[in-house]
Amino acid sequence: MNDILSDLKFSFQRGGLLVKLIYINAFAFLLIRLSDILTWTGSIPHAWILSYVAMPLNGDIIYRPWTPLTNIFAHYDLIHFLCNILSLYWIGRLFLSIFNSNVRLFYAYFLGGLGGSLVALLFCFGANGVLLGASGAIVCMLVAAAITAPRQSVWLTFFGYVQLRYVAIATLALFFILIAGMQNVGGNLAHLGGALTGWLLALYWQKHPQAHTTVPSFARKSIRRKSHMSVSFNPDWQYNGSRADHNREVDRILEKIHAKGYDSLTDKEKKTLFDATNK
């Protein structure tokens, strides 16, 4: 047991931001569900912890002003949790492959989650329910990635390679259909709020390539103060630009294969494709 805990602690400390977000979501889920055990004993009221982290959609928000942010780490149903964690892992890795920036991942997760919470609150205020889940933040990452690299192809089971822009369009269309059918309106409005935030972030980053590529100055001071060592932070926007150019070249080669077949590729194009598939 100690070995397992040590391994988990090590992977959390050594892992990047995406790993830490997954761990935090998992820990919050376990804490919420384990609190049910205390509920059975009568020690605490039902869903006591959940009531403090989920965002109420009625006037109770006044007494829980922190919940627009805490709800993006809260899950109660196992299926909801697993779907969001798997989506966070897949889309988070996709986001990092395009932006190669943990700082931008940080902004996308928190601003996307906050944007989704505020949109849901705006349109559903007064409803008798709560909002919880990381899906608004995840949709934010998906849309930001699709705006930045719309022609990048991703593999989808049963569909094969699909360009990222079509994945984002189909996902958003599904949310609108569900809202029209009055299915989980608050949750799907949060998804659209996250999508809007992702769109705005992507446009901002395109206009300001160096924005959000380094740790903010207040965080640097905090890190130095805690570690007692000098820490340097280098902008990665130049690397991001060359990586985006490489992704566009791979997309062009894949489109050429689709239109004319593999034999139509030049030796240079074949080498580029081989290198990309073996990274």
Side-chain angles (χ1 to χ4, degrees):
M1 185 64 179
N2 289 334
D3 290 339
I4 295 175
L5 293 176
S6 297
D7 290 343
L8 290 175
K9 181 180 179 181
F10 180 81
S11 62
F12 178 82
Q13 292 175 336
R14 296 293 182 179
L17 177 61
L18 179 60
V19 172
K20 288 178 171 61
L21 289 173
I22 291 173
Y23 268 85
I24 293 170
N25 275 277
F27 176 77
F29 172 74
L30 291 175
L31 189 63
I32 290 169
R33 295 313 302 256
L34 287 175
S35 68
D36 286 350
I37 297 176
L38 296 178
T39 298
W40 297 337
T41 65
S43 302
I44 60 174
H46 176 67
W48 179 73
I49 293 179
L50 187 63
S51 67
Y52 277 91
V53 294
M55 187 184 79
L57 295 173
N58 53 31
D60 289 344
I61 185 69
I62 299 174
Y63 308 104
R64 304 281 193 274
W66 57 85
T67 54
L69 276 178
T70 57
N71 86 88
I72 66 177
F73 295 102
H75 301 83
Y76 187 80
D77 293 328
L78 177 61
I79 299 300
H80 184 208
F81 167 73
L82 291 177
C83 288
N84 274 358
I85 285 298
L86 292 174
S87 298
L88 176 59
Y89 175 75
W90 180 71
I91 296 175
R93 291 188 63 187
L94 178 66
F95 182 96
L96 289 173
S97 73
I98 293 171
F99 293 102
N100 193 42
S101 172
N102 276 317
V103 180
R104 288 189 171 181
L105 178 65
F106 174 87
Y107 278 97
Y109 188 90
F110 282 92
L111 292 182
L114 180 61
S117 298
L118 295 179
V119 168
L121 187 62
L122 177 64
F123 288 97
C124 295
F125 185 76
N128 186 23
V130 296
L131 184 73
L132 68 162
S135 46
I138 296 169
V139 174
C140 175
M141 291 188 284
L142 173 63
V143 171
I147 294 293
T148 304
R151 295 181 180 274
Q152 178 160 323
S153 297
V154 294
W155 175 264
L156 297 179
T157 306
F158 306 122
F159 296 97
Y161 284 104
V162 181
Q163 289 186 6
L164 194 51
R165 55 181 172 175
Y166 298 130
V167 176
I169 291 171
T171 302
L172 295 178
L174 176 62
F175 297 151
F176 280 110
I177 292 172
L178 292 173
I179 291 173
M182 301 302 290
Q183 298 293 317
N184 188 21
V185 175
N188 285 300
L189 283 170
H191 299 158
L192 295 180
L196 176 62
T197 307
W199 176 68
L200 292 174
L201 280 175
L203 294 183
Y204 181 79
W205 290 335
Q206 288 176 355
K207 191 173 182 179
H208 306 278
Q210 298 185 60
H212 302 159
T213 55
T214 57
V215 176
S217 58
F218 70 87
R220 298 185 211 180
K221 294 177 182 178
S222 175
I223 292 171
R224 291 193 182 103
R225 188 162 53 246
K226 291 179 180 179
S227 62
H228 303 289
M229 65 175 64
S230 176
V231 181
S232 61
F233 300 89
N234 297 316
D236 51 14
W237 63 274
Q238 290 178 323
Y239 176 76
N240 291 340
S242 62
R243 190 184 186 93
D245 291 339
H246 176 73
N247 289 337
R248 283 192 288 270
E249 175 64 11
V250 172
D251 289 340
R252 185 192 65 79
I253 294 172
L254 291 173
E255 290 180 355
K256 185 175 180 181
I257 293 175
H258 180 72
K260 300 180 180 180
Y262 180 81
D263 293 336
S264 66
L265 300 183
T266 64
D267 291 339
K268 182 179 178 181
E269 289 171 335
K270 290 178 181 178
K271 184 178 184 304
T272 300
L273 185 62
F274 177 81
D275 292 341
T277 55
N278 284 277
K279 282 187 177 180

